[in-house]
Amino acid sequence: MWILLIINFEILLACRGRYCQLVMGPAGSGKSTYCQTLMQHCEAAKRRVHLVNLDPAAERFEYPPTIDIRDLITLEDVMEELGYGPNGGLIYCFEFLMENLDWLEEQLGDYEDDYLILDCPGQIELYTHIPIMKQVARLLQQWNFQVVGVYCLESQFIEDTSKYFAGVMSATSAMSMLEIPHINVMTKMDLLSEEIRDNMDRYFDPDPLLLAEDANKSTSKRFKELNMALANLIDEFSMVSFLPLNIKDEDSVAYILSHADNAIQWGEDQEPKEPVDELEGPSED
């Protein structure tokens, strides 16, 4: 009987929810601001969320990370001791992490029921053609985490249609490489004028063929066929759409969080809690 109880308890532990967002995107795309905004939103909603820093070059955080790769290795030390440049040093840091997975597993082991937000580096090659972040995503899944990728692209990309195409292709590449549930977030919407924001719908769920026509107006003739080929690729697979993030709008933040939660089915195994009447005083049992 005791053996059956132990087995059932282990099965129950294995089924407990472990959830995380893998926040990625180009340097300067607003990843850390997104993480900070999400932490603030969840804190106000009394929701238990932890920040995990996976950027060995990070300098400061508004919310101190609960888990920090800099406790294991820093880019500054690698560059100083091995003479590597920033990109080579960053890859070395992640190779070092992969050689010390017991450290990462131990750090993550204490968060069985919690929701983690992983703030990743801004070098997009880690997500597009170097398989390191893919390996990290696979490991998280092996450790019973439900993982959603959140790819950030700053709204200033829409100022140049060709630049926007590049952003769409990088998001598509990351989605194809990582092979995990994925959402794309267009950040820094609060920095745009109201007039521009009101005319951005076609960028959230893009019609690539129309955008290719715009790009061709300012592109050399020899690249027009390439633009149309890229547009047809995006249009054929219909994989890319963006959710707008305005950090000054709580509804915008909640909307994006709900999409991420839905992608990993957060909350489906949570036990229902009794509603608390704030007008009632504490129990006098």
Side-chain angles (χ1 to χ4, degrees), residues 114-170:
D114 295 335
Y115 195 110
L116 306 182
I117 301 172
L118 281 66
D119 190 0
C120 300
Q123 278 73 6
I124 61 173
E125 58 266 30
L126 293 173
Y127 321 109
T128 57
H129 60 275
I130 296 177
I132 291 177
M133 293 308 296
K134 181 176 183 177
Q135 293 171 17
V136 171
R138 290 288 176 273
L139 283 168
L140 290 169
Q141 291 174 324
Q142 289 175 19
W143 295 336
N144 296 321
F145 279 96
Q146 299 292 329
V147 186
V148 57
V150 179
Y151 194 90
C152 296
L153 187 72
E154 63 177 309
S155 55
Q156 280 76 6
F157 265 66
I158 67 166
E159 295 176 357
D160 183 326
T161 308
S162 299
K163 187 177 179 181
Y164 175 75
F165 263 114
V168 170
M169 293 305 296
S170 67

Side-chain angles (χ1 to χ4, degrees), residues 30 44 52 66 80 83 138 154 219 228 255:
V52 178
T66 304
E80 216 173 87
R138 290 288 176 273
E154 63 177 309
T219 304
M228 292 306 298
Y255 181 68

Side-chain angles (χ1 to χ4, degrees), residues 68-82:
D68 194 341
I69 191 176
R70 295 174 301 177
D71 294 335
L72 176 69
I73 190 170
T74 69
L75 178 60
E76 183 180 2
D77 288 344
V78 170
M79 293 173 63
E80 216 173 87
E81 296 177 14
L82 300 179

Side-chain angles (χ1 to χ4, degrees), residues 1-156:
M1 178 179 177
W2 283 108
I3 293 176
L4 289 175
L5 286 173
I6 292 172
I7 292 174
N8 288 335
F9 181 69
E10 289 178 347
I11 293 174
L12 180 63
L13 284 177
C15 294
R16 291 175 69 183
R18 306 187 81 190
Y19 305 92
C20 67
Q21 292 186 26
L22 205 61
V23 183
M24 51 196 163
S29 60
K31 297 183 300 298
S32 295
T33 301
Y34 167 84
C35 294
Q36 174 188 327
T37 302
L38 213 57
M39 293 289 294
Q40 186 176 1
H41 176 84
C42 291
E43 186 179 77
K46 309 296 185 197
R47 179 166 162 179
R48 193 175 178 86
V49 175
H50 299 278
L51 179 63
V52 178
N53 174 43
L54 284 185
D55 185 357
E59 295 181 354
R60 67 179 188 85
F61 291 91
E62 188 73 21
Y63 285 84
T66 304
I67 301 171
D68 194 341
I69 191 176
R70 295 174 301 177
D71 294 335
L72 176 69
I73 190 170
T74 69
L75 178 60
E76 183 180 2
D77 288 344
V78 170
M79 293 173 63
E80 216 173 87
E81 296 177 14
L82 300 179
Y84 286 179
N87 290 337
L90 185 64
I91 293 172
Y92 178 90
C93 288
F94 272 89
E95 290 174 344
F96 187 81
L97 175 65
M98 301 307 290
E99 293 171 0
N100 293 272
L101 290 176
D102 53 339
W103 175 86
L104 182 60
E105 187 173 12
E106 181 181 353
Q107 293 291 313
L108 295 173
D110 294 334
Y111 302 98
E112 291 290 344
D113 260 339
D114 295 335
Y115 195 110
L116 306 182
I117 301 172
L118 281 66
D119 190 0
C120 300
Q123 278 73 6
I124 61 173
E125 58 266 30
L126 293 173
Y127 321 109
T128 57
H129 60 275
I130 296 177
I132 291 177
M133 293 308 296
K134 181 176 183 177
Q135 293 171 17
V136 171
R138 290 288 176 273
L139 283 168
L140 290 169
Q141 291 174 324
Q142 289 175 19
W143 295 336
N144 296 321
F145 279 96
Q146 299 292 329
V147 186
V148 57
V150 179
Y151 194 90
C152 296
L153 187 72
E154 63 177 309
S155 55
Q156 280 76 6

